[in-house]
C-alpha cells in the first residue's frame, strides 16, 4: 500500500519459508517473493546471512527488498532484518514496509 492507494489486496505479506522460519515482505513483491521462495530451509540466522550476502553482491540489479526473517533456532526466538543493500541486523522487534 502507498498512503490511501493499495497496490494489491491479494499479495501475501507473511510467507512461511520452512519449519524454522517465516518472513515478512516489503518492497517489490516480485523481487521479495522470488528471493524468499528460493532460499534453502535454514533457521533465521544462517538464512538471513545467505540472503544478505546475495543482496549485497546483487546491488547493481536494483532489487527492492525489505524483509524480516523470524523464527526459532534451538528454541530461541530470532528476528533479522535484511534489505536490498545487503544490510542485515538482528532485532528484538522491528517494523518494515506498509
Amino acid at each position: 500500500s502507498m498512503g490511501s492507494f493499495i497496490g494489491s489486496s491479494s499479495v501475501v505479506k507473511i510467507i512461511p519459508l520452512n519449519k524454522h522460519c517465516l518472513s515478512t515482505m516489503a518492497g517489490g513483491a516480485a523481487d521479495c517473493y522470488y528471493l524468499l521462495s528460493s532460499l534453502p530451509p535454514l533457521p533465521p540466522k544462517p538464512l538471513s546471512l545467505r540472503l544478505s550476502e546475495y543482496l549485497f553482491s546483487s546491488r547493481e540489479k536494483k532489487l527492492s527488498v525489505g524483509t524480516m526473517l523470524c523464527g526459532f533456532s534451538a528454541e530461541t526466538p530470532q528476528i533479522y532484518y535484511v534489505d536490498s543493500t545487503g544490510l542485515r541486523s538482528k532485532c528484538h522487534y522491528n517494523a518494515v514496509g506498509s
Side-chain angles (χ1 to χ4, degrees), residues 14-18 20-24 44 68-71:
I14 298 175
I15 304 166
L17 299 175
N18 60 56
H20 305 285
C21 191
L22 62 82
S23 173
T24 65
M68 289 189 295
L69 300 169
C70 313

Side-chain angles (χ1 to χ4, degrees), residues 50-61 84-86:
R50 184 168 291 191
L51 180 59
S52 173
E53 289 171 345
Y54 176 81
L55 288 167
F56 182 79
S57 67
S58 301
R59 290 183 318 268
E60 72 282 351
K61 294 181 180 178
S84 301
T85 67

Side-chain angles (χ1 to χ4, degrees), residues 11-92:
V11 173
V12 176
K13 297 282 188 167
I14 298 175
I15 304 166
L17 299 175
N18 60 56
K19 69 180 185 174
H20 305 285
C21 191
L22 62 82
S23 173
T24 65
M25 180 170 55
D31 290 346
C32 281
Y33 191 79
Y34 171 76
L35 289 172
L36 295 172
S37 64
S38 65
L39 292 170
L42 298 169
K45 185 176 182 177
L47 197 61
S48 66
L49 183 58
R50 184 168 291 191
L51 180 59
S52 173
E53 289 171 345
Y54 176 81
L55 288 167
F56 182 79
S57 67
S58 301
R59 290 183 318 268
E60 72 282 351
K61 294 181 180 178
K62 306 288 186 200
L63 299 171
S64 176
V65 175
T67 187
M68 289 189 295
L69 300 169
C70 313
F72 289 86
S73 180
E75 304 299 321
T76 304
Q78 299 177 338
I79 302 172
Y80 288 89
Y81 171 74
V82 182
D83 73 10
S84 301
T85 67
L87 172 73
R88 173 182 172 259
S89 56
K90 185 173 183 177
C91 309
H92 294 287

